[in-house]
Amino acid sequence: MFDTMTFTKVIGGFCGTLLVFLLGGWVAETVYHVGGDSHGEGEEHSAYLIEVDEGGEGGGESEEPADFETLWASADAGAGEKVFGKCRACHKLDGSNAVGPHLDGVVGRDVGAVSGFSYSGALSQAADVWTPENLFHFLENPGGYASGTTMSFGGLKSGEDRVNLIAYLENAGG
């Protein structure tokens, strides 16, 4: 049953398979080699070259973000309604709670004052009243503003979006 010829065939099969893998690796390295010599030395180039204008208008200097008062003076409630689409998954404006508390009347309301909603407790340590400025900072980074909050939203980085949303909530919520 197990003779010399069977043993030779098994060893030959393993050696043949190893040879195929070694040759396949060598061919693949040759075909798909990026640059330089076979040892990975030499200059390598990116597939796309992105030229950056060092001077002029784009100069690489970051703009100083506008302060709250400047942004608040030009807030647009109509644009804030579009931004509210990001909030709609967890919050409602009809007085009923969802994953998060309802937001009608939130501007000027005491923090954690919605009855029937179980807050995490982190918000009450951050502020007493949802003033437009408190909301502005909270909406930038909820977890950073109220450490320990269960609100998992990452925040709105654009200051204009935040003031527009607050203006919308102030008008929609009464």
Side-chain angles (χ1 to χ4, degrees), residues 9-100:
K9 288 178 185 178
V10 169
I11 295 296
F14 282 123
C15 288
T17 303
L18 179 63
L19 182 63
V20 167
F21 279 119
L22 288 175
L23 287 174
W26 175 75
V27 168
E29 186 176 311
T30 302
V31 170
Y32 295 109
H33 188 67
V34 175
D37 62 9
S38 62
H39 300 291
E41 298 173 2
E43 186 177 337
E44 296 187 18
H45 298 282
S46 299
Y48 298 102
L49 181 63
I50 301 173
E51 295 182 21
V52 178
D53 183 17
E54 296 287 329
E57 294 178 12
E61 295 179 20
S62 61
E63 277 188 32
E64 194 67 29
D67 63 340
F68 172 74
E69 289 80 19
T70 305
L71 290 171
W72 185 244
S74 63
D76 179 14
E81 184 174 9
K82 293 176 185 170
V83 177
F84 183 72
K86 296 178 181 180
C87 309
R88 207 174 299 266
C90 299
H91 299 281
K92 295 182 181 180
L93 288 174
D94 63 0
S96 63
N97 295 328
V99 174

Side-chain angles (χ1 to χ4, degrees), residues 77-125:
E81 184 174 9
K82 293 176 185 170
V83 177
F84 183 72
K86 296 178 181 180
C87 309
R88 207 174 299 266
C90 299
H91 299 281
K92 295 182 181 180
L93 288 174
D94 63 0
S96 63
N97 295 328
V99 174
H102 68 82
L103 295 180
D104 50 320
V106 69
V107 180
R109 181 172 70 200
D110 289 341
V111 173
V114 173
S115 62
F117 188 79
S118 176
Y119 289 92
S120 62
L123 289 174
S124 61
Q125 298 171 3

